[in-house]
Amino acid sequence: MSSKESVRARLDALGAPYEWYEHEAARTMADCLALPYAAPDVTFCKNILLCNRQKTDYYLYVTLPDKPFRTADVSKLLGVSRLSFAPEEALEQLCRLRSGSLSPLALWFDSGRVITLTLDRAIHREGRIAFHPCDNTATVIFRQEDFFGLVLPALEHEPRWLDVPWPQADGGGDHA
């Protein structure tokens, strides 16, 4: 069974209401935001797999698509001195995924509980929230209360909520 089929089976078993859309591969946030069901009440999320310098601690950072990512801000809030993008092979090893398919739903495949789910508080809004179901040829959309009340607990990864600031327009800091 593919990762996408496995996610759908888990959602069905959980009884979580969702909308499911199949589409051409959406490789970028711009691709996602151009999908026909990218309505104003739908929060699409940017999902980034990070690791410490030693590649012993991994973090799935989930934020808004238009929010610039600064490693310094996230590192400071997590208390980790140096974060960087995790190598692509880590995504495959930890979650059986390829680049462009990462979402919190991938935590169902993190059987060793190696990844820390790190959520930018800004994603918790009114309306609905969208993710790839571990395959960028589909999108699953939940009502926010269903995702945070039903699906998130079923992932069995206690999230760390961060109040990540919007970067200042000073041009300083490291950007990713």
Side-chain angles (χ1 to χ4, degrees), residues 20 23 49 68 70 86 97-98 130 138 162 164:
W20 187 279
H23 49 74
L49 188 62
R70 292 174 48 144
L97 298 179
R98 63 181 188 276
L162 302 178
V164 180

Side-chain angles (χ1 to χ4, degrees), residues 5 18 40 46 53 55 70 99 101 128 154 159 172:
E5 292 166 336
Y18 62 86
K46 179 168 42 177
R53 176 184 266 175
K55 296 181 179 70
R70 292 174 48 144
S99 181
S101 299
R128 300 176 291 160

